[in-house]
Amino acid sequence: MPAHDLVVVANRLPVDAHLREDGSVEWEPSPGGLVTAMESVMRNVDSGAWVGWAGSPGEAPDPFEADGMQLYPVMLSAEDVARYYEGFSNATLWPLYHDVIADPEFHRTWWDAYREVNERFAKAAAAVAAPGATVWVHDYQLQLVPSLLRDARPDLRIGFFDHIPFPPFELFAQLPKRNQVLRGLLGADLIGFQRERDALNFLTSVRQLLGYTHHQHEITVPGIGSAPARVVTAKAFPISIDSHAVGEMAEDPEIQEAARTLRHELGDPRKVVVGVDRLDYTKGIRHRLKAWGELLNDGAIDPDEVLMVQVATPSRERVDAYRQLRDEVELTVGRINGDFASIGRPAISYLHRSLDRRAMTALYQAADVVLVTALRDGMNLVAKEYVASRPDELGVLVLSEFAGAADELRAAILVNPHDIDELKTAILRALAMPEEEQRAAMQSLRRQVLDNDVQGWAHAFLGELESAGRAQDVPT
Ligand code: ADP
Ligand code: F6P
C-alpha cells in the first residue's frame, strides 16, 4: 500500500460515480462547498491522497488517480447510506447543528452505523498514511475519526475542520451520545471552525460536558492510563474559494459572451436576480420565494422587466425534510408562475439540477443581484464566488446575517431572512442601487475575497497544525 504525507478524509470523494445504462461508470464532480474548496487545495499538493465515499451504495471502486491525487474509495452499504449518511449525519446532526430549522430525529441504530462507518474511514486513512503523516479529517459526518485514528496511529498529526456551524451549548446538549462526539473530535491536534462563534460554542460544550479546562483556544485533554495529557487547539479558520481561478474564468471572453447570450435567452430583462443553492432547507429558499411572490403581488416588481432565476442542485433526496422542501419549493414556483408569468416568459426560471463551473460563472456575470438568504450556513461559498466572478465591479450581493460569510462580507446588503419585510426592502434596494454605489461595495467585497483565498486558508490551517502537533506533551 502506498504511503502519503498528506491524507484528506471526507465523507465524499471529489467525484461521484454514476452508473450509465450500459453498465459503465461516469465520474461527475460531487456537490457541495467542501469539495469545491478542498479540490482546489489538493490540486496543488504533490502526491496527496483523499479517502471518501464514491456516492453510490455497494462495492467501492478500486483506488484510482485523478488530477494528480490518489483517491481511495470507502464502501457504504445501502444500510450504511440509510443509517449513517441519511440518518445520523443528515437527519440528526445536520438539523441540530443548523439551529433546529428542521426537527432532528434520533435512532440508536443510526448511531451504531455512524460509529461503524467512522471506524471504517479511520482504518482506510490509517492504511495509506506514511509514518508521521498529516491527516486532515473533514466535517460532521466523521467526528469520531480523529480519536479512532489517534488510537490506531499515535504517530500521525491529525487536523479536523468543521464546515458547518457548531451549535450553541443549549442545542448541542440535546444530542444523545454528545460526549462520545466531543471525545471523537478531541483526538485531533487542531480543530478548525468557520467562525469564532463556532469555536467558542465548542469550547463551552467541552467545558460544560467533559469538565476540561481551556486557556483561550487551547484545551487540556487529561491523559488516560499511560497516554500523556495533550493540548488540543480549537479556533476559527474561515474557508474561502479559489478566488484567482474563478477570477481568471470570469475574464475569459467566451464566458462573458455566454453571460450576454444567457441574458438574451432570458428575454433581455432589465434586471436578473439569481439564487444558486443545494436544495436544502437551511438555504432559506422558501423565504426568498415568499418575499419574491409578495413583491410581485404588491406590484413593486414588474415581471416583464425583472426575472428571478433559481438554480437548485438536487440534494439528499431520500431524506424526508428534503422531499418536503422540494415539493414546497416547486409548488410555490408553480403558483408564482401561474399568477405572474406570461406566455414564453416565466416570472421565476427554476432549474432542479447542477451547472458546470463555466456555466455558473456566466450565470453570476449575468446576475444584477444574487440572493443568499440562508437561515443558517457554515460559510456559503456562493456569496464569495459571485464576488470573484465580477471583475466589472458591478452587481449587488444580498447576504443573510446567518451565513458565516457575513462576518467577512460586510459591504453586502446584510439581511435577517426571517423578516420577510426586511428581505423585500433589501431586494428593492438592491434592484435600485446606482452603479456608483454598486462599484464601491463590490470593490470592498472583492478585496476581501481576493486577499483571502482557499489556498491561504489551507496554508494557515496546515501551518498551525504543524505547530499544534508538536505541543502534545503537557504536565498533568
Ligand atoms: P453547501 O456546501 O452547503 O452546498 P456552499 O454555498 O458553501 O454550500 O457551496 C456550494 C457549492 O456548490 C458552491 O461551490 C456552488 O458553486 C456549488 N453549487 C451550488 N448550487 C449549484 C448548482 N445548482 N450547480 C452547480 N454548482 C452549484
Ligand atoms: O459542509 C457542507 C456539506 O455538507 C459537505 O459536507 C457535503 O459534502 C456537502 O455539503 C454536500 O452534501 P452531501 O455530501 O450530503 O451531498
Side-chain angles (χ1 to χ4, degrees):
M1 189 65 92
H4 300 272
D5 291 326
L6 176 62
V7 179
V8 163
V9 191
N11 175 56
R12 278 186 191 277
L13 288 173
V15 281
D16 256 1
H18 291 269
L19 209 57
R20 289 202 198 97
E21 273 183 11
D22 63 3
S24 61
V25 172
E26 183 178 24
W27 292 94
E28 281 180 9
S30 302
L34 185 163
V35 164
T36 304
M38 284 310 294
E39 197 252 321
S40 49
V41 168
M42 291 304 279
R43 235 185 289 127
N44 297 319
V45 167
D46 282 339
S47 94
W50 187 316
V51 173
W53 174 47
S56 311
E59 274 310 295
D62 289 335
F64 62 102
E65 206 197 296
D67 273 342
M69 207 186 333
Q70 197 62 34
L71 306 187
Y72 293 95
V74 173
M75 194 279 297
L76 293 189
S77 67
E79 191 174 273
D80 294 331
V81 173
R83 293 179 175 182
Y84 147 79
Y85 171 72
E86 292 164 353
F88 199 77
S89 296
N90 288 317
T92 305
L93 294 172
W94 181 268
L96 186 71
Y97 283 30
H98 286 87
D99 288 358
V100 296
I101 297 163
D103 282 341
E105 227 184 286
F106 183 77
H107 300 285
R108 278 165 283 185
T109 50
W110 290 1
W111 164 255
D112 294 341
Y114 184 80
R115 224 188 39 231
E116 283 164 23
V117 172
N118 271 246
E119 278 165 10
R120 202 173 305 152
F121 273 81
K123 212 164 151 197
V128 298
T134 294
V135 180
W136 193 356
V137 185
H138 291 261
D139 234 358
Y140 63 101
Q141 302 94 341
L142 301 178
Q143 293 174 107
L144 309 182
V145 170
S147 70
L148 293 164
L149 207 46
R150 178 164 299 282
D151 290 346
R153 292 283 308 271
D155 60 302
L156 299 175
R157 191 164 285 161
I158 303 168
F160 180 92
F161 188 77
D162 179 22
H163 291 253
I164 70 171
F166 195 88
F169 169 68
E170 291 71 16
L171 289 181
F172 183 74
Q174 293 178 16
L175 179 67
K177 316 298 177 195
R178 58 201 188 182
N179 290 7
Q180 286 95 317
V181 168
L182 292 179
R183 288 205 183 91
L185 289 167
L186 288 169
D189 298 297
L190 174 64
I191 307 173
F193 295 93
Q194 298 282 23
R195 304 166 312 159
E196 179 64 11
R197 247 167 302 164
D198 299 317
L200 295 178
N201 288 343
F202 175 73
L203 291 166
T204 307
S205 287
V206 167
R207 196 177 58 237
Q208 299 273 3
L209 295 169
L210 301 181
Y212 297 170
T213 54
H214 62 91
H215 177 64
Q216 293 175 346
H217 292 95
E218 296 191 342
I219 305 161
T220 302
V221 178
I224 305 169
S226 60
R230 303 163 43 240
V231 168
V232 176
T233 305
K235 59 188 273 198
F237 295 86
I239 203 168
S240 191
I241 57 165
D242 192 342
S243 320
H244 298 278
V246 176
E248 232 169 72
M249 206 179 276
E251 301 275 10
D252 181 341
E254 267 182 33
I255 296 222
Q256 296 179 352
E257 183 54 34
R260 282 190 290 273
T261 307
L262 179 61
R263 279 189 81 107
H264 184 62
E265 285 169 357
L266 292 172
D268 286 320
R270 195 173 60 77
K271 295 277 182 183
V272 176
V273 176
V274 168
V276 187
D277 319 76
R278 264 186 318 102
L279 190 43
D280 195 298
Y281 51 81
T282 58
K283 304 292 181 183
I285 301 170
R286 285 180 281 215
H287 293 63
R288 192 182 307 167
L289 291 175
K290 186 163 178 57
W292 196 255
E294 286 191 15
L295 285 169
L296 288 166
N297 214 26
D298 299 346
I301 283 179
D302 179 350
D304 291 331
E305 292 201 332
V306 185
L307 175 71
M308 180 187 226
V309 178
Q310 175 65 53
V311 188
T313 316
S315 187
R316 306 173 191 166
E317 294 191 283
R318 286 158 26 120
V319 178
D320 278 348
Y322 289 77
R323 274 199 204 136
Q324 231 180 60
L325 172 73
R326 180 172 179 194
D327 287 349
E328 278 177 43
V329 164
E330 296 186 355
L331 187 80
T332 310
V333 168
R335 282 214 177 119
I336 292 178
N337 276 333
D339 288 343
F340 298 101
S342 41
I343 288 175
R345 193 174 180 109
I348 301 180
S349 173
Y350 169 80
L351 301 184
H352 181 243
R353 76 174 79 116
S354 280
L355 300 179
D356 64 35
R357 295 249 58 97
R358 292 177 71 80
M360 287 281 281
T361 310
L363 179 61
Y364 289 138
Q365 290 201 349
D368 298 290
V369 177
V370 164
L371 301 178
V372 174
T373 56
L375 305 178
R376 177 58 78 199
D377 207 336
M379 175 54 65
N380 195 284
L381 296 186
V382 166
K384 293 188 173 182
E385 287 168 0
Y386 178 46
V387 167
S389 302
R390 298 308 299 246
D392 60 349
E393 297 174 347
L394 291 176
V396 185
L397 174 65
V398 174
L399 176 61
S400 162
E401 288 167 19
F402 299 100
D407 282 3
E408 300 165 87
L409 304 182
R410 307 303 297 172
I413 299 185
L414 295 175
V415 284
N416 169 8
H418 294 277
D419 185 338
I420 301 296
D421 289 332
E422 188 183 322
L423 191 49
K424 287 163 69 179
T425 308
I427 293 171
L428 291 179
R429 188 178 147 212
L431 285 169
M433 191 180 282
E435 283 197 358
E436 217 171 296
E437 203 185 323
Q438 290 182 33
R439 216 167 246 127
M442 194 51 94
Q443 279 169 358
S444 154
L445 294 169
R446 284 176 61 77
R447 261 195 306 278
Q448 174 63 39
V449 174
L450 295 175
D451 290 351
N452 297 285
D453 64 4
V454 74
Q455 280 79 20
W457 166 81
H459 191 74
F461 186 92
L462 292 172
E464 178 110 15
L465 178 55
E466 202 165 310
S467 39
R470 282 203 201 97
Q472 282 186 3
D473 293 339
V474 290
T476 37

